[in-house]
Amino acid sequence: MTVLVTGGAGYIGSHAVQRLLRDGERVVALDNEFRGHAKAMQLLSQAHPGKLTYVKADINDRTKVLATMDDHGVHTVMHFAALAYVGESVSQPLNYYHNNVSGLISVLAACDAARVPVQKFVFSSSCATYGQPPANMIPVPETCPQSPVSPYGWTKLHGEHILRDFAAARANAGNPIALTMLRYFNVAGSDHTGLIGEDHTPETHMIPVVLQAALGLRSEVGIFGTDYPTPDGTCIRDYVHVEDLIDAHVLAMAKVKPGTPAAYNVGIGKGYSVREIIDATRKVTDRQFKIVEQPRRPGDPPMLYNDSRKISSELGWKAKFTDLHEIIGTAWRWFQKHPQGYRS
Ligand code: UFG
């Protein structure tokens, strides 16, 4: 049995590849290298000789995806491949729908057309599908109404709807698929061994931005909004360590049964403000950097953190990294060793 990891050369996908290889699974990773890194695949291949197949291809190339499934006897798909910048999705909505929605349809069509149809599918959804949850829905449960406020969020919500219809059709046809949709909160940190890590161009995420400032690669860090209705006036987010996030995928793959689609939020259940991230980063790195208070960034919800009860009780998931300093520490190790990402 082989697991296909789409977007396997990206930040989260490469951590999934690493974990699956460690667990002894046969893995085929597929990536178009638009934002993924061939170097990550090379490092993981070297660390696990003969266990990883890497295919450079676009998910919209259905023929290639299907051939990959047939060549390797793919049983399970972890579908990470997507564009994932909220701001960019506002200026390039068609690009986002093409990659995230058409791309998903292409992969699902291949799942059905494969000589042995794919039996398990784990989808990277997002808490962006909730948009701005009402105050009485924070912490956010899976039952919170989904009402995205960005094209990115809509692509993920459309993805969930497509997947539910796909799963229903498969069940009606007597070949049910085990489908899990994982709605990620803010993913952070790097592999604890330091082999692979986060390397985005452009980098806009809070923790890497602050670490780049600590390294002197940025002259300052902007705080986007200091007048939010939160204790220190800055936005609050739930930062889940990438290895804990992958744990959720592995549990989903093992535990979710064919037939009824399952959706889970993945976040540690605790929120940290932008100022808390900055303070923790100063402590972890022991470096100073300039902070500039700026206006709000459009579309930022003031407060988002997870109600993690469903995933805990149904999948037995529990975050191992709950200490912010520890989460930032894993990212810091990677950034110190690779200030220019995989180029260094
Ligand atoms: N922030 C700053 N300065 C920066 C960067 C970020 O103040 O230089 C703030 C943001 O305004 C926000 C918080 O830090 O309040 C976190 O911002 P990120 O850009 O790191 O993450 P987002 O919460 O915007 O986005 C994340 C994921 C998306 C997902 C979204 C759901 O990256 O994929 O959560 O809300 F869709």
Side-chain angles (χ1 to χ4, degrees), residues 158-239:
H158 287 313
E160 290 198 11
H161 290 162
I162 290 165
L163 281 160
R164 285 181 197 278
D165 289 342
F166 175 80
R170 281 278 292 259
N172 291 338
N175 186 12
I177 190 164
L179 165 63
T180 315
M181 296 167 287
L182 296 177
R183 298 176 189 151
Y184 309 167
F185 282 67
N186 290 53
V187 187
S190 287
D191 147 43
H192 67 275
T193 68
L195 184 68
I196 57 171
E198 190 165 10
D199 178 1
H200 292 122
T201 308
E203 186 52 84
T204 61
H205 294 105
M206 186 64 206
I207 292 176
V209 162
V210 185
L211 290 174
Q212 287 175 349
L215 282 169
L217 300 171
R218 285 174 191 260
S219 53
E220 59 191 39
V221 176
I223 299 183
F224 301 151
T226 53
D227 58 349
Y228 283 101
T230 58
D232 68 16
T234 66
C235 286
I236 291 177
R237 294 287 180 275
D238 182 327
Y239 294 87

Side-chain angles (χ1 to χ4, degrees), residues 12 83-87 125-131 149-150 152-153 156 184-187 198 200 203-210 218 220-225 228 234-239 272-275 277-278 292 294-304:
I12 301 174
L83 296 176
Y85 291 110
V86 173
S125 188
S126 170
C127 70
T129 59
Y130 295 119
V149 291
S150 68
Y152 169 70
K156 291 294 176 180
Y184 309 167
F185 282 67
N186 290 53
V187 187
E198 190 165 10
H200 292 122
E203 186 52 84
T204 61
H205 294 105
M206 186 64 206
I207 292 176
V209 162
V210 185
R218 285 174 191 260
E220 59 191 39
V221 176
I223 299 183
F224 301 151
Y228 283 101
T234 66
C235 286
I236 291 177
R237 294 287 180 275
D238 182 327
Y239 294 87
Y272 292 100
S273 73
V274 170
R275 288 195 202 279
I277 297 293
I278 290 169
V292 183
Q294 294 181 359
R296 293 181 178 196
R297 185 172 70 175
D300 272 343
M303 195 186 311
L304 274 179

Side-chain angles (χ1 to χ4, degrees), residues 235-308:
C235 286
I236 291 177
R237 294 287 180 275
D238 182 327
Y239 294 87
V240 57
H241 192 273
V242 63
E243 291 184 328
D244 281 329
L245 175 74
I246 301 306
D247 235 6
H249 290 70
V250 170
L251 286 167
M253 187 171 81
K255 294 194 172 178
V256 171
K257 301 271 176 274
T260 312
Y264 298 103
N265 289 345
V266 195
I268 65 173
K270 183 168 172 21
Y272 292 100
S273 73
V274 170
R275 288 195 202 279
E276 284 175 308
I277 297 293
I278 290 169
D279 289 347
T281 306
R282 284 194 164 132
K283 270 207 191 93
V284 168
T285 62
D286 198 22
R287 308 243 176 130
Q288 289 305 318
F289 40 86
K290 189 173 163 202
I291 298 299
V292 183
E293 296 189 0
Q294 294 181 359
R296 293 181 178 196
R297 185 172 70 175
D300 272 343
M303 195 186 311
L304 274 179
Y305 61 94
N306 184 29
D307 177 339
S308 51

